[in-house]
Amino acid sequence: MANGGPVEHGYPHLPTVRAAVTALYRRLSYDTIRTFSVSVAPADVAFCDTDDLHLGAQRVARELVRHYRLPDARLIVGFREMEHAAHVELAAGPEYFVELNDRFRTHRRDIGAALAHEVAHVYLHRLDLSFPGTRDNEILTDTTATYLGAGWLLLDAFREDGASSQKLGYLTPEEFGYVLAKRSLVFGEDPSVWFTSAQAYTAYVEGRALARRDEQQPPLTAAGWAGRRRYARDRRHAQDHRPPAARGDVPYSFAPDERGPLRVSFPCPTCHQRIRVPVRGRVRARCGLCRTVLECDT
């Protein structure tokens, strides 16, 4: 939790975020992810200063448990002084003890954001899905909360001005915006109408631009002129059995196939699983993981 300190911006965790989206699709399946097509509604997690602190926190926790489809999980919420925003004890269940930072006693509208992250921990614990290392596992948790419809609360808790700042979660604001935009492209949902923070909206717009660029990379037909020209040059090198110039800024790679034509592999713009298709002009490919149909010009 950034509380008055500097807030990190940009996309320093982007590879891990993309790996987290792929892991979600692999563990949950396309059909299960489609059941999360509706995000947590603002009214369901609203918390005003006149609400009883503990009863209100329990109410919001129950709503998030319902959203994550954990009917037999019970969260017991308490408050104490601590460095981080919150902590959950991942025991066998069905009861889970969640502690929230004492700061939320007076910043009650952000309790939903803190609980969205902690209930996502419980959800992943039940799935037995994790990444090695605390940092990557927390990024997986933020990505899961956001992609499954509760993480817009975490981005909306981001506020920054010349005198103060606040941010919850391990993703940067722009990375939260990126994952939200990925979700929006899948479900056709516009989360920007729920933001109360102007800074959250700005971060969402920036993340959305990057998410759209994922759909405009060669060999996809939506790629721009410059990308298509670069791709054609790299393809010629590969067809002539010459390795292309080393580039870290291209998502595709070529590989010979002993049984047929040259093949190109590239990440699916929806779930980021790599797809391999033959290099033979116009090709329609379907991602086996997220079922996205891709128009390619290989």
Side-chain angles (χ1 to χ4, degrees), residues 1-283:
M1 178 175 65
N3 179 14
V7 173
E8 186 177 25
H9 288 275
Y11 304 95
H13 315 114
L14 192 58
T16 308
V17 169
R18 287 170 169 164
V21 173
T22 307
L24 271 181
Y25 272 95
R26 286 177 177 163
R27 184 65 181 85
L28 292 181
S29 82
Y30 166 85
D31 291 326
T32 301
I33 284 181
R34 297 299 299 187
T35 66
F36 288 90
S37 60
V38 178
S39 289
V40 173
D44 292 337
V45 291
F47 205 130
C48 65
D49 291 339
T50 58
D51 290 341
D52 180 272
L53 177 64
H54 293 279
L55 292 178
Q58 292 295 151
R59 172 183 57 80
V60 173
R62 285 194 301 272
E63 179 58 35
L64 288 164
V65 165
R66 183 203 63 78
H67 176 76
Y68 285 106
R69 293 160 177 78
L70 298 169
D72 60 336
R74 297 190 298 274
L75 265 67
I76 300 172
V77 183
F79 297 82
R80 71 173 176 88
E81 289 188 11
M82 56 196 301
E83 178 183 357
H84 299 290
H87 174 74
V88 61
E89 292 184 13
L90 295 175
E95 290 186 341
Y96 298 89
F97 293 89
V98 178
E99 295 175 313
L100 299 182
N101 193 298
D102 266 340
R103 170 185 174 83
F104 293 112
R105 292 179 181 272
T106 55
H107 292 75
R108 299 184 181 186
R109 68 170 177 167
D110 296 323
I111 285 178
L115 288 174
H117 179 92
E118 300 310 316
V119 182
H121 268 304
V122 175
Y123 183 73
L124 291 170
H125 177 67
R126 292 282 189 92
L127 287 176
D128 193 25
L129 175 60
S130 63
F131 278 180
T134 300
R135 169 188 169 275
D136 287 359
N137 204 49
E138 293 292 354
I139 291 170
L140 170 65
T141 304
D142 276 342
T143 303
T144 298
T146 306
Y147 205 83
L148 298 186
W152 70 267
L153 291 160
L154 286 156
L155 178 54
D156 195 42
F158 166 54
R159 291 179 284 278
E160 187 175 40
D161 56 38
S164 63
S165 64
Q166 174 185 281
K167 186 189 77 70
L168 302 182
Y170 287 73
L171 300 186
T172 68
E174 294 77 17
E175 288 168 340
F176 273 120
Y178 174 79
V179 181
L180 273 175
K182 286 289 190 182
R183 171 184 169 80
S184 177
L185 290 168
V186 170
F187 295 116
E189 193 179 59
D190 181 10
S192 64
V193 299
W194 303 322
F195 292 140
T196 61
S197 164
Q199 293 80 17
Y201 178 78
T202 299
Y204 171 68
V205 170
E206 292 188 17
R208 184 176 62 190
L210 180 59
R212 286 175 173 168
R213 287 200 294 275
D214 286 350
E215 299 184 328
Q216 299 166 354
Q217 296 292 326
L220 301 175
T221 57
W225 177 83
R228 295 296 311 160
R229 184 178 181 183
R230 179 184 60 198
Y231 177 84
R233 183 180 64 246
D234 292 342
R235 180 179 58 198
R236 284 196 303 271
H237 278 275
Q239 289 172 330
D240 294 340
H241 305 289
R242 292 180 294 155
R247 306 183 64 97
D249 59 341
V250 296
Y252 55 82
S253 61
F254 296 96
D257 191 329
E258 296 179 356
R259 297 171 296 174
L262 184 73
R263 288 181 174 265
V264 60
S265 69
F266 60 95
C268 170
T270 299
C271 69
H272 302 289
Q273 175 176 257
R274 292 198 73 85
I275 298 171
R276 294 180 76 236
V277 296
V279 175
R280 61 183 184 199
R282 290 272 179 163
V283 175

